[in-house]
Amino acid sequence: MNNIRINYFVIVIIALFSAAIIALNITWPDRQKAQINKILSRGELRISTIPSPLITMNDKKDPVGFDYELVKRFADYLGVKLVVNMRTNINQMFDDLENNKADFIAAGLLYNKERLETTRSGPAYFSVSQQLIYRKGTLRPRSFDTLDGRLVVTAGSAHASLLRTLKETQYPELEWEESDNQTTSQLLEALSEGKITYVLADSISVAVQQRIHPNVAVGFEVTESRPLTWYLPDGEDNSLYAAMLDYFNQLSQDDVLARLEEKYFGHVGSFDYFDTISFITAIDSVLPNYQPLFEKYADTFDWRLLAAMAWQESHWDPHATSPTGVRGLMMLTRPTASSMGVTDRLDPEESIRGGAQYLQHLLSRLPDSIPEDERIWFALAAYNIGFGHMLDARRLTEQQNADPDSWLDVKSRLPLLSQKKYYENLPYGYARGHEAYRYVENIRRYQLSLVGYLQAKESKNKILSKDKEDDGDDEKQGRSPLTQDMAYQ
């Protein structure tokens, strides 16, 4: 009896002690878990990055993008706050890693064996190819042997590492420059302006920049698809890497990676040079006439989405009319215009107001189960083919055991609405679903072009304004800009 009481007492003490450890979040001393324990104890996950198509700053100076969502979800998975340190070049990021100022690096970086001498790579989560880029209108290069001009890459990048390998193994005459203060996107912009002859870049950066600078063109593919990865400190501690493996495994099981790829890159695959040139030209020449109206009636939308939508509908022609009778900037049908209180469909302000209100109305009718960041694509599809047909696409998606709340799954079923074996069993019947598919994808591409082009234009104007201010300061001091430059030579 006494032995039973003693055993019971010991069990209770052990249980209470274990509970106290859990309650106080005390970690057992374990050198193999130092990395993850530091992050949990600190309550912060610190990452370093540089601007890229996968992570950048929006108009409010908040980080956004594919990589940002991944690291934010990872911080949530760990139950800690995310701290993002935006750096200006690749070497600064790796300095942060070496000096313990970052837990890892996330910047859309290619897997690079050279980096593994001092770091370790995380799980691969996306893939891109490397391409030799030139300016459209100049002679297209077919191989490194035919280059005639300045080839520039970002210092510390996998592109620079690849060029070193190519010089050692295949092209001993190959020459290039490495820039410490320009990202790949900035180099592509410089190339589009004729300041650089060639750039070695990843395919996703090129695809995004072509929406803003359509004269950026692919000379030839240098590599096949290669993985993108995060980089961690090197060492025997596997705890952070293990957490990443578990995290990415969950993302794959929940189809999150596929959804994020669709959200950020699902619409950038195809590129029409002449269509993009036409749109970019109209941004400067036509958009200023209507931008105040898009801003006025955007409400909860990004005004640039409405502008992209209007370009897809009418090419910003207020008198546009289709064979089916839809008219105006937002191409409203007569019944839709009437329901939105629009009396003159050819009046730009009435058309934009009516189109924005109708899009908002469609959004409000969508099921709450659709994720917030995907709802707009469903609403745009409904704007094009009708709300009932959009519901049919969701029904068909569910019938085929896919997710009716996922735009990735639903958009692939839209073209099936024009096939009899599918539409004859749906409540609303035949619909030109392939047109709705292209409609939404085109708007997403136009919005990407518009946002990027306006941001690039704003940045350039700021630089010009600063240069003028500097010139003015020089003149006030009695020294011309020319003598100012000479003083530092």
Side-chain angles (χ1 to χ4, degrees):
M1 185 69 178
N2 288 335
N3 288 338
I4 294 175
R5 286 178 178 175
I6 291 172
N7 290 339
Y8 178 79
F9 179 74
V10 171
I11 291 172
V12 170
I13 292 297
I14 293 173
L16 290 172
F17 182 66
S18 300
I21 290 174
I22 295 171
L24 294 173
N25 196 28
I26 296 174
T27 54
W28 294 102
D30 187 345
R31 289 184 300 172
Q32 292 298 316
K33 295 182 180 180
Q35 285 181 329
I36 203 70
N37 283 343
K38 283 181 181 179
I39 294 169
L40 296 177
S41 299
R42 190 194 309 131
E44 289 182 349
L45 177 68
R46 306 167 306 170
I47 70 148
S48 286
T49 187
I50 56 173
S52 77
L54 276 75
I55 185 167
T56 187
M57 294 290 186
N58 63 14
D59 295 338
K60 298 178 181 179
K61 305 302 179 185
D62 295 323
V64 293
F66 181 79
D67 248 335
Y68 172 72
E69 284 210 37
L70 282 179
V71 295
K72 179 64 173 68
R73 288 171 182 265
F74 184 51
D76 293 342
Y77 163 84
L78 296 176
V80 296
K81 177 185 176 183
L82 176 64
V83 177
V84 178
N85 297 311
M86 189 67 73
R87 303 307 185 197
T88 58
N89 61 59
I90 292 176
N91 291 330
Q92 286 179 354
M93 292 192 300
F94 282 95
D95 286 344
D96 283 351
L97 200 62
E98 183 179 353
N99 297 322
N100 198 31
K101 294 181 179 179
D103 298 308
F104 64 89
I105 294 170
L109 296 176
L110 280 157
Y111 176 83
N112 183 359
K113 285 185 179 179
E114 283 188 5
R115 293 181 180 138
L116 302 186
E117 295 176 3
T118 55
T119 66
R120 69 179 302 176
S121 63
Y125 60 91
F126 196 64
S127 61
V128 296
S129 62
Q130 289 172 279
Q131 302 170 327
L132 195 286
I133 309 304
Y134 76 109
R135 188 170 183 261
K136 201 172 185 65
T138 63
L139 185 64
R140 178 181 178 180
R142 301 290 179 175
S143 73
F144 285 106
D145 287 328
T146 62
L147 301 189
D148 183 19
R150 291 178 62 205
L151 168 60
V152 186
V153 297
T154 302
S157 67
H159 309 309
S161 174
L162 175 61
L163 289 176
R164 285 191 289 272
T165 300
L166 291 173
K167 184 177 179 67
E168 292 174 3
T169 58
Q170 292 178 261
Y171 305 99
E173 303 299 321
L174 183 60
E175 299 292 338
W176 68 92
E177 301 171 28
E178 298 184 18
S179 174
D180 288 315
N181 57 4
Q182 289 175 294
T183 63
T184 297
S185 296
Q186 290 170 329
L187 290 177
L188 289 171
E189 182 176 354
L191 179 143
S192 77
E193 297 172 350
K195 298 175 181 177
I196 295 173
T197 318
Y198 310 109
V199 173
L200 191 60
D202 63 88
S203 52
I204 196 64
S205 292
V206 175
V208 170
Q209 285 300 311
Q210 283 181 320
R211 308 291 168 192
I212 307 166
H213 308 290
N215 59 351
V216 168
V218 178
F220 56 91
E221 295 283 337
V222 181
T223 68
E224 297 180 349
S225 290
R226 293 186 174 180
L228 298 183
T229 184
W230 295 341
Y231 284 92
L232 301 73
D234 193 20
E236 297 179 356
D237 187 342
N238 296 314
S239 58
L240 181 56
Y241 180 76
M244 286 182 178
L245 282 178
D246 185 60
Y247 164 69
F248 276 104
N249 183 51
Q250 287 189 21
L251 290 188
S252 298
Q253 290 179 357
D254 298 337
D255 216 24
V256 174
L257 266 179
R259 286 195 180 200
L260 288 179
E261 287 183 27
E262 162 59 29
K263 177 179 178 179
Y264 289 101
F265 309 122
H267 55 296
V268 299
S270 60
F271 172 66
D272 187 320
Y273 172 75
F274 293 104
D275 180 62
T276 307
I277 282 286
S278 175
F279 181 54
I280 294 295
T281 302
I283 292 174
D284 288 327
S285 61
V286 182
L287 180 60
N289 300 323
Y290 305 113
Q291 181 174 335
L293 296 177
F294 290 128
E295 292 174 337
K296 180 178 179 180
Y297 294 108
D299 194 20
T300 59
F301 302 120
D302 182 340
W303 74 265
R304 295 164 298 191
L305 172 70
L306 281 185
M309 183 180 173
W311 176 262
Q312 170 65 23
E313 289 285 359
S314 66
H315 276 39
W316 296 333
D317 177 3
H319 301 288
T321 303
S322 82
T324 58
V326 293
R327 308 185 76 185
L329 272 173
M330 304 298 286
M331 296 297 269
L332 300 173
T333 64
R334 193 180 298 275
T336 298
S338 178
S339 67
M340 295 296 114
V342 174
T343 57
D344 183 0
R345 289 182 288 166
L346 300 184
D347 178 83
E349 183 163 5
E350 283 202 62
S351 183
I352 292 171
R353 175 184 60 79
Q357 288 180 354
Y358 184 54
L359 185 61
Q360 187 65 58
H361 169 69
L362 293 171
L363 265 175
S364 68
R365 296 179 63 189
L366 292 173
D368 293 337
S369 54
I370 298 175
E372 189 64 33
D373 57 354
E374 298 186 32
R375 295 173 67 82
I376 187 61
W377 315 128
F378 286 85
L380 286 171
Y383 191 103
N384 181 258
I385 58 171
F387 195 79
H389 291 303
M390 186 277 295
L391 292 180
D392 274 353
R394 296 185 75 247
R395 290 188 185 95
L396 182 57
T397 303
E398 191 168 20
Q399 288 172 10
Q400 295 185 348
N401 298 317
D403 185 356
D405 294 329
S406 165
W407 175 246
L408 176 64
D409 290 348
V410 172
K411 81 170 188 177
S412 63
R413 271 77 183 181
L414 282 170
L416 302 182
L417 298 182
S418 61
Q419 298 183 28
K420 187 176 181 179
K421 66 178 180 178
Y422 297 109
Y423 72 71
E424 66 181 357
N425 297 316
L426 296 170
Y428 292 91
Y430 172 85
R432 294 191 294 271
H434 57 284
E435 292 185 5
Y437 177 97
R438 288 200 301 269
Y439 178 84
V440 177
E441 298 299 275
N442 285 344
I443 290 172
R444 296 176 70 184
R445 282 190 281 265
Y446 291 137
Q447 184 183 12
L448 176 63
S449 291
L450 182 55
V451 170
Y453 182 79
L454 292 179
Q455 287 177 344
K457 190 175 181 180
E458 182 182 3
S459 297
K460 190 175 295 183
N461 288 338
K462 286 181 179 179
I463 293 173
L464 291 174
S465 296
K466 188 177 186 306
D467 288 344
K468 287 181 180 179
E469 290 177 6
D470 292 343
D471 290 349
D473 291 340
D474 292 337
E475 290 174 3
K476 288 178 182 179
Q477 295 173 12
R479 185 165 61 180
S480 70
L482 177 60
T483 56
Q484 172 73 14
D485 290 339
M486 291 176 63
Y488 289 94
Q489 288 181 355

